[in-house]
Amino acid sequence: MEEKFKQQPANCIKVVLFGPESTGKTTLSLQLARYYNSVWVPEYAREYLQDKWNNERKTCEPQDLLPIAEGQMNLENKLAQKTNTILICDTDLLETKVYSEAYYLGYCDPILEKYALENTYDLYFLTYIDTPWEADDLRDKPDHREAMFKAFENALIDNNRPYVLLKGNKKERLETAVKYIDKLLKK
């Protein structure tokens, strides 16, 4: 059963856009996928939770986290087989773990935690909160951006994940990300 949360072997570099809501992760993921003519893994939680909101008028609950994690890894594993260069991941299970702990009083399902820590990526891009807040049906913490940013940064530091902080406008973020991805591609 737990295999569905595990990364499958892939012949590509994997980078993750990582950070609080409304910090430009999806926009930059799409830009990078276009720039490198490669594959983008969307955030499964967005579709899952939007459907839940549309159908039930409910937001994320603890029992949603494992189905979200399973859906995310299914997408990532499937799409990783479609490239031999770079895979741009709009999120990962570590991000789901951060949200779980932030929203549910420090709780994270042990299965989610295990794979959030075991699955590995070549580089994380931590998106800073210097982008304008954009409200939607799912975003709900406009007044907690600094605390959420710290939670994401601490997760990277505490788990020894390689990361680059991205600040600035869309063009500046793209240029910084490309510089670091190009270094990975030359290795």
Side-chain angles (χ1 to χ4, degrees):
M1 169 183 164
E2 288 185 23
E3 285 295 307
K4 57 190 168 191
F5 302 103
K6 184 177 184 177
Q7 279 178 324
Q8 301 304 312
N11 185 30
C12 61
I13 292 168
K14 292 182 179 183
V15 299
V16 179
L17 280 289
F18 192 79
E21 58 189 8
S22 195
T23 56
K25 295 182 299 289
T26 300
T27 299
L28 184 56
S29 294
L30 290 166
Q31 288 176 310
L32 288 168
R34 274 195 300 271
Y35 183 89
Y36 288 102
N37 193 29
S38 193
V39 180
W40 165 64
V41 182
E43 180 184 11
Y44 181 79
R46 269 228 154 273
E47 181 180 338
Y48 179 98
L49 293 173
Q50 188 66 57
D51 285 347
K52 181 174 181 162
W53 176 255
N54 292 347
N55 294 319
E56 304 172 41
R57 284 295 184 247
K58 289 185 179 178
T59 59
C60 191
E61 299 170 289
Q63 64 268 23
D64 293 318
L65 296 176
L66 285 182
I68 287 170
E70 179 182 349
Q72 189 65 43
M73 290 314 302
N74 181 47
L75 269 177
E76 179 183 315
N77 287 328
K78 184 171 69 176
L79 293 171
Q81 303 307 311
K82 296 182 182 271
T83 183
N84 63 1
T85 56
I86 186 153
L87 185 71
I88 310 297
C89 301
D90 193 344
T91 190
D92 75 337
L93 298 190
L94 186 59
E95 181 147 332
T96 308
K97 177 183 182 305
V98 171
Y99 275 116
S100 177
E101 292 168 349
Y103 279 73
Y104 308 116
L105 305 172
Y107 175 77
C108 181
D109 184 288
I111 295 171
L112 172 57
E113 182 161 17
K114 176 183 183 199
Y115 289 98
L117 301 179
E118 282 183 12
N119 293 344
T120 60
Y121 299 84
D122 296 282
L123 186 61
Y124 284 79
F125 290 112
L126 176 60
T127 52
Y128 192 61
I129 55 175
D130 58 348
T131 57
W133 173 266
E134 292 183 26
D136 67 16
D137 291 339
L138 304 177
R139 294 176 178 153
D140 66 350
K141 294 210 181 283
D143 300 326
H144 298 90
R145 295 182 91 193
E146 185 67 39
M148 289 303 295
F149 176 80
K150 284 290 179 206
F152 281 98
E153 186 173 42
N154 288 339
L156 294 172
I157 292 167
D158 294 347
N159 294 290
N160 297 314
R161 301 295 169 106
Y163 77 96
V164 172
L165 177 62
L166 294 182
K167 289 184 171 184
N169 63 36
K170 291 176 188 177
K171 183 176 185 261
E172 293 165 329
R173 288 173 179 224
L174 178 62
E175 288 171 356
T176 301
V178 164
K179 180 173 85 172
Y180 283 93
I181 291 172
D182 284 351
K183 286 180 186 177
L184 286 174
L185 291 171
K186 288 178 183 167
K187 287 184 179 180

